[in-house]
Amino acid sequence: ATLRTPTVVGAFSCRRVKRTITPDPDPLLLSSSDAGSEAGLMFLVTAESLEECITEREKSLLVNAGGVFGLASKLKTDTKQGLHGEQLGDAALEARREAYGRNEFEYPPPKTFLRLCAAAFNDLTIQILCVAALISLGIGAGVASHREEYGYLEGIAIVAVVCFVVLLQAGIDYSKEIKFRQLNSVKDNYAVKVVRGGEVHAVTAGEVLVGDLVELVAGDKVPADGIFVEGMKFKANEAAMTGEPIDIGKDTERDPFMLSGTSISEGSGRMIVTCVGGRSQWGVILKTLIVEPGSTPLQDRLDVLVVTIGNFGIGAAVLTFLASMIRWIINGANGKGWDGLKILEFLINSVTIVVVAIPEGLPIAITLGLAFAMRKMMADQNLVRRLEACETMGSATQLNADKTGTLTQNRMTVTDAWFGGKQYDVMPPGDASDAFADMLAESCCVNSDANLAKDVDKGITDHIGSKTECALLQLVEDLRNAGKGNAPPSQHFAYVAKREAHEVAQRYHFTSARKRMSTAIASPSGDGSRLHCKGASEIVVTMCSKMMMTDGSVVDFKPADLDAANDAITAMASTGLRTLCIAYVDLKTAPGALPEDAPEENLTLLGIVGIKDPIRPETREAVRLLRGAGVVVRMVTGDNVLTATAIAREAGILVDGEEGLVLEGPVFRKMSQKEKESVAVKIRVLARSSPADKLTLVNLQKALGEVVSVTGDGTNDAPALKEADVGFALGIAGTEIAKEACDIVILDDNIQSMAKAVLWGRNVFQSIRKFLQFQLVVNVVAVSLNFISACAGIEELPLAAVPLLWVNMIMDSMGALALATEPPSPKLMERKPFGRFAPLVNKEMWRNVIVMSTYQLIVCLVLLFAGEDLLNLKNKGDHHYVVLRLNSVIFNTFVMMQVFSEINSRKISEIAVFENIHKSPVFISIIIATVATQVALIEGVGRSVVGPAVGFMNLSSTEWWVSVLIGTGALPVGLVARLMPIKWFPGKTDEEADKEAQENARAAQLAAAAAAEEEALSDSDVSVTILNARARWKKAKTFINAYTALTAPMTKRIAISKKLGRGSPLQVDDGDGPTDDLGLGISSGLKPKT
């Protein structure tokens, strides 16, 4: 039976491969008569079988195929020559790619600009406006009386403004889509050595094919899955895939399976590639990780907030329409005519109120704010893969950090030593003679398999092989740099010359039983041999009978010296250092006559070195900053508890006098669920931990209401990185899987970069609050003004459809951009985290919104009802002209007040709103651009026939001065608002919200089950808040909650259409949520999706 199997997993599509299913008992084989490709190239093994073989580590499948050589034959390759002969032809290579795939990943194409434009028209309000505008356009152009008064221009203007908004939104979404694709693409195309036709060729990892014979040496990364063919002392470090730090020896019998994404730690060898791309182990994991970014807690809360605010806007729009209709019916009954076009005008005005009332500018504000923060964070060595992670990091309360590479330098280094009976804590020792330094360097270089390599791109020295041996080789470099040991000058590393000068005669490798390694060389004197030995300090030191002093002399090693050496070993180990004893002995035995067992007797002690991975110079300061910002820093490491505790104290994570729990992974795993919950946020060091422990810790902390961030570098850290609110992967030490799973890549592996991420995250959250404060004033004033005008019987509303859409557009887009690009203040790191439940609109914001809205509404109403007298407009034309001119003044004054309100919104509680404004060139430019655009609109469009047709006209200089002066009045009003007692206003302060959140967290810790926790954090809290509210708000809130319950379904439908217009679903469900983002105890009738 022929089967075509198109497979789509996650974000990847695999090509269709035609294969034939046969009853062959060999599960790895296809019959030669049926297998193959359309090009005539026959493959006797399927891609699926090879994938199963590697995934299950199933050696029986390999045996059935005839072992490594049989498998090579079925793959049409050779274990010596690799792909050769006709297999290297273009057709053959392409057929191989078709059968087994490419070593790369296929992403779905990004959404096109036209598709995003079409999606933007899913907004229900946009659709209603377009239909109404088209009807208006048809009547205005088709009815002669309306056509003569340019009645069609309003319809054209509405359609033009709507199209502009749609194109703007589509453009922003398109650039964001492209950026996501760029960030999601795997940039890992390194060089690989393959054998083709018997010769070694360098190709990129993406060009590797199934059947290729790949050459690997220590330090190389395995580009694809494969089967080991041959090698010498060949070991792979599979920690990136399995989490096991032990190097695993590879051979054709016990473990021939090579896994993509792992690295070679020792030796050299060859493998045959069996699985590439999406079928490799690396690719299988990658498929599950590359997905479209989801929403963050803040975005979900904003969805609910949009609906909550929209409830009141829709109510005002409905009432405005009803008031206008009642007035129209009364006028018609009184003989003033039944102009049906007025109903269309009422509908347009009401829908426009809905457009303004629902703050859909919030998504733009978030997108712009996060994009700006992302660019700035890139300069701080933070590559943001998910824009939303910026704001989430600002709310982080917990940081679970890796030790190696994040807190420390990820470079084993000799930091302490005991030489010649003296303790040294500065390397290299300053009093070391050339003779001593030369002997020490010789022992470190010769008795080692490790190597150093310069990474020009990263500007660092890579350690290849044993990290402990690399630390000793680095000590040799330090000795040469200090002028010790008479090392010859060279462009290469110092150890290279030493090894070339001393050929190895015999090597006695390290074993777990011997716990030491020795290497014999020909004696420099030409008579006999010299044996260099290093190993476990407590063992090797007992084999010594002599000791070389730092001046180069050799003395007897007495019992008192042994006691001193053991004391030094204990002292260094107690501070978390790994100790190593170095010694040598000169033998009379010729190099060729050395025995099989190492002659390790009567050694001469060179010294005992203390090795550790030192903390980064900036770690302590970064931890201090994070702790000062209220972020709990926790070390999660696989190291033993002694080393972990010493590093934690050095880094400032553990501080004397503070509560800080130190636990080991095995103890943590044996705890009950309740015990784990009780210690989840108290732990400061979790030693001997596994990746599963880290994932458990993250889930526990999130369940307790914490906003959790995690660092990781291995593939096995991917689940914790994905589960955390913000996952940080190490850019240098991290695997590609870890980078794909994370939200932010720390390019320099530095914890200080995380402190900067916290600062920028808080700035994003603060910017969103500033925009909300600004936007709420616009909404309240615009909606209230038109509603009052309609109720008062004013036919031509002061803010007509086009001016309102214009205000909505420039205030949303320009205002969002201005407030989102404000640089962060260092003061943000002096406050506690916002946390998961901080209200988006706090008490200080309500104070500013209420006072500013009151001022602006009073000004507009005074102009509306007394403007004709105040501005002396009565005798300047007919009634329509006077109303048009007055509405133009109101429109212009309204915009000017928003300009200065925008300046006020730079600060929420601080008085100095102009502080550091000179450091915000983007903000200043946008304010200037907004004013210039308004001038062009009033004076340019207002002088044409279009202006009067859509609701405004040009103004005189006096009217301009009036508008600007009233607008500047927003500044002193803002100052007065900030001086008012905060207790006069509704809402919650951040401190009150934080206190409630802590109480909720304690309640969750005491809960017996997850259902009880959820109940404690949801409806009951809302009820308590309402019961404890001030008496004067009680009745109002009861009425408002009933009203929102009634209007929420309608608002939800409109809000859903707006979100679909931006290509994403609305993250809300029916029912009260656990957060109170308005801080008023008012239910939206909805809650964030879970």
Side-chain angles (χ1 to χ4, degrees):
T2 300
L3 176 68
R4 287 191 178 270
T5 57
T7 308
V8 178
V9 184
F12 300 99
S13 61
C14 302
R15 291 181 178 83
R16 298 182 176 184
V17 180
K18 183 176 181 180
R19 63 188 180 92
T20 303
I21 300 176
T22 69
D24 195 315
D26 184 345
L28 203 59
L29 299 182
L30 293 178
S31 68
S32 59
S33 60
D34 295 329
S37 70
E38 295 176 1
L41 185 64
M42 313 293 263
F43 296 114
L44 305 183
V45 57
T46 67
E48 291 83 356
S49 298
L50 291 172
E51 182 180 355
E52 181 185 357
C53 179
I54 296 293
T55 302
E56 303 298 332
R57 314 290 196 276
E58 186 56 68
K59 283 189 283 188
S60 63
L61 296 175
L62 184 61
V63 172
N64 291 337
V68 175
F69 298 102
L71 177 62
S73 175
K74 292 174 175 60
L75 289 174
K76 302 297 181 181
T77 187
D78 186 81
T79 58
K80 296 297 182 183
Q81 299 185 66
L83 298 178
H84 59 284
E86 64 179 14
Q87 305 300 319
L88 294 175
D90 291 342
L93 292 175
E94 186 58 34
R96 190 175 292 271
R97 293 188 190 99
E98 286 295 324
Y100 297 112
R102 300 171 185 267
N103 199 28
E104 57 190 30
F105 299 94
E106 296 180 6
Y107 296 83
K111 298 172 185 175
T112 64
F113 182 75
L114 290 177
R115 183 179 171 189
L116 290 170
C117 287
F121 275 101
N122 285 326
D123 188 334
L124 181 61
T125 57
I126 293 291
Q127 294 171 356
I128 294 174
L129 276 176
C130 287
V131 171
L134 289 173
I135 295 172
S136 174
L137 183 63
I139 295 174
V143 179
S145 59
H146 290 285
R147 185 169 61 249
E148 291 171 0
E149 296 177 359
Y150 305 103
Y152 53 84
L153 288 180
E154 183 177 29
I156 293 175
I158 293 174
V159 171
V161 173
V162 164
C163 289
F164 183 80
V165 171
V166 167
L167 291 172
L168 175 67
Q169 182 60 46
I172 292 173
D173 288 345
Y174 184 71
S175 62
K176 187 173 74 171
E177 180 83 11
I178 293 297
K179 194 170 293 294
F180 276 135
R181 297 297 168 179
Q182 291 172 347
L183 292 174
N184 271 338
S185 61
V186 181
K187 302 176 181 66
D188 195 34
N189 226 8
Y190 49 90
V192 177
K193 289 179 288 185
V194 299
V195 179
R196 290 180 178 175
E199 297 180 356
V200 178
H201 298 269
V203 300
T204 62
E207 296 175 290
V208 172
L209 300 173
V210 169
D212 261 328
L213 185 64
V214 177
E215 274 199 357
L216 297 166
V217 297
D220 284 350
K221 183 175 177 179
V222 180
D225 292 349
I227 299 295
F228 175 79
V229 175
E230 60 183 1
M232 180 178 181
K233 299 176 184 176
F234 195 66
K235 291 184 178 181
N237 186 326
E238 297 183 353
M241 295 295 290
T242 65
E244 294 296 333
I246 302 172
D247 294 340
I248 299 174
K250 298 292 180 179
D251 56 45
T252 55
E253 298 297 327
R254 289 176 299 177
D255 187 357
F257 303 106
M258 305 293 297
L259 306 181
S260 54
T262 61
S263 59
I264 307 306
S265 55
E266 289 185 39
S268 60
R270 291 179 172 184
M271 76 168 196
I272 286 180
V273 175
T274 57
C275 299
V276 295
R279 292 190 180 278
S280 68
Q281 295 301 292
W282 180 57
V284 168
I285 297 176
L286 194 60
K287 289 176 188 177
T288 65
L289 299 177
I290 299 182
V291 295
E292 286 296 315
S295 60
T296 64
L298 177 62
Q299 287 180 307
D300 297 343
R301 288 163 63 184
L302 284 171
D303 281 344
V304 175
L305 185 65
V306 164
V307 175
T308 306
I309 297 171
N311 282 335
F312 300 98
I314 285 181
V318 171
L319 291 175
T320 300
F321 182 77
L322 291 176
S324 300
M325 283 297 296
I326 292 171
R327 180 68 60 180
W328 179 75
I329 292 171
I330 292 172
N331 289 340
N334 292 333
K336 294 184 179 180
W338 299 87
D339 187 357
L341 196 61
K342 289 286 185 182
I343 299 177
L344 181 63
E345 187 177 324
F346 298 157
L347 177 64
I348 291 176
N349 288 335
S350 298
V351 173
T352 305
I353 288 176
V354 174
V355 172
V356 175
I358 297 180
E360 72 275 11
L362 278 173
I364 300 178
I366 294 173
T367 301
L368 294 174
L370 296 179
F372 176 75
M374 187 193 75
R375 289 196 300 271
K376 293 295 184 181
M377 288 173 70
M378 187 69 177
D380 289 335
Q381 300 301 307
N382 286 300
L383 172 61
V384 180
R385 299 192 68 256
R386 289 184 64 233
L387 288 177
E388 296 84 354
C390 298
E391 50 88 0
T392 310
M393 193 59 203
S395 300
T397 58
Q398 305 287 325
L399 172 59
N400 301 311
D402 268 355
K403 176 184 75 69
T404 305
T406 306
L407 301 173
T408 63
Q409 299 176 22
N410 193 25
R411 309 183 68 74
M412 296 301 288
T413 306
V414 178
T415 59
D416 295 66
W418 190 81
F419 292 140
K422 292 171 60 178
Q423 185 71 35
Y424 295 87
D425 57 6
V426 176
M427 292 289 106
D431 60 354
S433 66
D434 287 340
F436 176 82
D438 183 61
M439 183 61 75
L440 179 64
E442 180 183 297
S443 184
C444 293
C445 297
V446 171
N447 192 23
S448 170
D449 287 324
N451 290 279
L452 303 179
K454 292 180 180 177
D455 190 326
V456 179
D457 294 335
K458 296 179 180 177
I460 61 173
T461 300
D462 285 335
H463 289 182
I464 301 173
S466 167
K467 304 304 180 187
T468 301
E469 291 185 354
C470 288
L472 296 178
L473 295 183
Q474 196 65 55
L475 176 61
V476 174
E477 294 300 312
D478 295 339
L479 286 170
R480 181 174 72 168
N481 295 336
K484 305 285 185 181
N486 297 320
S490 171
Q491 294 180 344
H492 303 291
F493 291 107
Y495 77 90
V496 176
K498 285 284 185 184
R499 287 183 181 175
E500 290 176 351
H502 302 286
E503 184 178 351
V504 175
Q506 178 79 321
R507 180 156 288 168
Y508 303 93
H509 287 283
F510 176 93
T511 66
S512 57
R514 281 167 34 81
K515 293 189 176 180
R516 58 191 180 275
M517 171 184 178
S518 296
T519 300
I521 60 173
S523 176
S525 64
D527 182 20
S529 307
R530 176 174 290 171
L531 183 77
H532 287 288
C533 177
K534 71 171 186 289
S537 301
E538 66 277 7
I539 295 176
V540 176
V541 74
T542 61
M543 299 177 176
C544 297
S545 59
K546 296 179 182 180
M547 177 171 63
M548 178 177 278
M549 309 300 287
T550 53
D551 62 2
S553 61
V554 178
V555 300
D556 290 336
F557 190 59
K558 300 176 182 178
D561 296 326
L562 178 59
D563 291 339
N566 284 324
D567 289 343
I569 293 169
T570 303
M572 285 191 275
S574 66
T575 60
L577 296 177
R578 180 184 300 173
T579 61
L580 199 68
C581 185
I582 303 174
Y584 77 98
V585 62
D586 284 324
L587 305 170
K588 294 183 178 179
T589 308
L594 289 168
E596 289 187 9
D597 295 328
E600 297 159 338
E601 297 176 349
N602 297 317
L603 302 178
T604 299
L605 177 65
L606 287 173
I608 300 164
V609 294
I611 301 173
K612 73 171 182 178
D613 184 4
I615 69 167
R616 293 174 176 272
E618 60 277 357
T619 292
R620 192 172 183 85
E621 174 62 16
V623 171
R624 186 193 67 79
L625 278 174
L626 288 166
R627 283 167 55 90
V631 181
V632 176
V633 182
R634 180 178 299 100
M635 180 196 295
V636 183
T637 178
D639 268 347
N640 64 72
V641 68
L642 196 63
T643 301
T645 302
I647 294 292
R649 291 193 181 280
E650 191 177 355
I653 294 174
L654 282 176
V655 180
D656 293 335
E658 291 186 7
E659 181 184 6
L661 187 61
V662 178
L663 270 184
E664 291 186 281
V667 176
F668 179 71
R669 288 192 287 274
K670 292 178 182 178
M671 286 181 170
S672 67
Q673 182 69 16
K674 284 188 177 180
E675 288 174 327
K676 288 178 180 178
E677 289 174 357
S678 66
V679 302
V681 294
K682 296 179 182 177
I683 296 173
R684 293 298 177 270
V685 176
L686 186 60
R688 294 179 59 203
S689 65
S690 68
D693 293 334
K694 186 184 290 188
L695 179 60
T696 301
L697 197 60
V698 168
N699 286 324
L700 285 169
Q701 291 167 353
K702 288 182 69 177
L704 295 173
E706 304 289 337
V707 180
V708 186
S709 56
V710 165
T711 69
D713 57 0
T715 298
N716 52 347
D717 289 323
L721 290 170
K722 290 289 286 184
E723 185 64 30
D725 292 300
V726 182
F728 287 92
L730 306 186
I732 299 173
T735 65
E736 292 305 315
I737 296 292
K739 294 174 189 176
E740 288 297 326
C742 76
D743 303 300
I744 299 175
V745 179
I746 311 170
L747 298 177
D748 58 357
D749 291 8
N750 192 334
I751 192 174
Q752 196 168 43
S753 299
M754 292 183 220
K756 294 174 182 175
V758 171
L759 176 62
W760 276 106
R762 292 187 176 186
N763 188 62
V764 169
F765 189 87
Q766 194 77 340
S767 296
I768 291 169
R769 275 187 161 180
K770 291 174 184 177
F771 178 74
L772 260 176
Q773 176 179 281
F774 169 68
Q775 180 74 51
L776 283 173
V777 173
V778 178
N779 290 3
V780 169
V781 177
V783 171
S784 301
L785 180 62
N786 273 11
F787 172 64
I788 293 172
S789 302
C791 292
I794 298 174
E795 291 188 2
E796 297 184 38
L797 297 182
L799 295 177
V802 173
L804 262 185
L805 288 173
W806 177 256
V807 167
N808 191 57
M809 183 176 67
I810 65 169
M811 292 300 111
D812 275 0
S813 304
M814 305 291 275
L817 184 59
L819 293 170
T821 52
E822 285 270 88
S825 167
K827 293 179 182 178
L828 288 172
M829 293 297 283
E830 298 172 6
R831 57 155 295 146
K832 290 184 177 180
F834 293 110
R836 194 179 295 275
F837 302 115
L840 294 175
V841 185
N842 62 13
K843 191 182 282 274
E844 290 88 349
M845 294 169 67
W846 275 121
R847 177 184 61 187
N848 300 339
V849 169
I850 290 172
V851 174
M852 187 59 64
S853 298
T854 302
Y855 165 71
Q856 292 191 14
L857 189 57
I858 290 173
V859 167
C860 291
L861 290 176
V862 168
L863 287 175
L864 179 64
F865 293 106
E868 292 184 18
D869 296 324
L870 294 175
L871 298 174
N872 193 24
L873 298 177
K874 284 190 174 181
N875 301 318
K876 292 190 176 181
D878 60 18
H879 177 71
H880 176 72
Y881 175 85
V882 171
V883 171
L884 182 62
R885 195 166 194 87
L886 181 60
N887 286 353
S888 302
V889 173
I890 294 173
F891 169 47
N892 198 48
T893 303
F894 179 73
V895 171
M896 290 298 113
M897 287 192 292
Q898 305 321 316
V899 169
F900 290 96
S901 176
E902 197 168 341
I903 296 174
N904 259 328
S905 296
R906 291 186 69 242
K907 304 291 180 182
I908 291 176
S909 55
E910 298 93 334
I911 292 176
V913 295
F914 286 98
E915 182 184 11
N916 293 326
I917 195 170
H918 61 284
K919 296 181 180 178
S920 303
V922 177
F923 182 89
I924 296 173
S925 301
I926 289 173
I927 292 293
I928 294 172
T930 302
V931 174
T933 305
Q934 180 66 13
V935 171
L937 183 72
I938 294 293
E939 295 302 320
V941 180
R943 291 179 185 274
S944 68
V945 295
V946 177
V950 297
F952 62 87
M953 62 181 295
N954 62 301
L955 302 177
S956 67
S957 58
T958 302
E959 291 161 346
W960 267 106
W961 278 113
V962 169
S963 299
V964 174
L965 286 174
I966 292 175
T968 56
L971 294 176
V973 170
L975 176 62
V976 170
R978 287 169 173 80
L979 295 175
M980 288 183 177
I982 195 70
K983 64 181 180 181
W984 291 358
F985 297 92
K988 300 175 188 173
T989 62
D990 288 342
E991 291 73 19
E992 291 169 347
D994 182 60
K995 184 178 178 181
E996 282 190 17
Q998 290 179 10
E999 291 173 354
N1000 291 341
R1002 282 193 290 271
Q1005 283 180 299
L1006 297 173
E1013 293 174 6
E1014 187 174 338
E1015 182 180 353
L1017 288 170
S1018 58
D1019 295 345
S1020 60
D1021 286 344
V1022 175
S1023 300
V1024 170
T1025 304
I1026 294 174
L1027 290 173
N1028 294 341
R1030 295 177 182 177
R1032 63 176 178 267
W1033 281 95
K1034 187 173 182 180
K1035 290 184 179 179
K1037 285 196 292 186
T1038 303
F1039 167 76
I1040 292 171
N1041 281 327
Y1043 167 76
T1044 55
L1046 181 66
T1047 56
M1050 178 167 54
T1051 314
K1052 180 181 175 182
R1053 277 192 288 273
I1054 295 176
I1056 286 173
S1057 72
K1058 285 182 170 293
K1059 285 286 283 189
L1060 288 175
R1062 288 170 175 82
S1064 59
L1066 188 74
Q1067 297 296 313
V1068 294
D1069 279 329
D1070 294 326
D1072 294 333
T1075 58
D1076 178 18
D1077 287 321
L1078 290 176
L1080 302 175
I1082 295 174
S1083 166
S1084 65
L1086 301 169
K1087 64 182 180 181
K1089 275 188 181 295
T1090 56

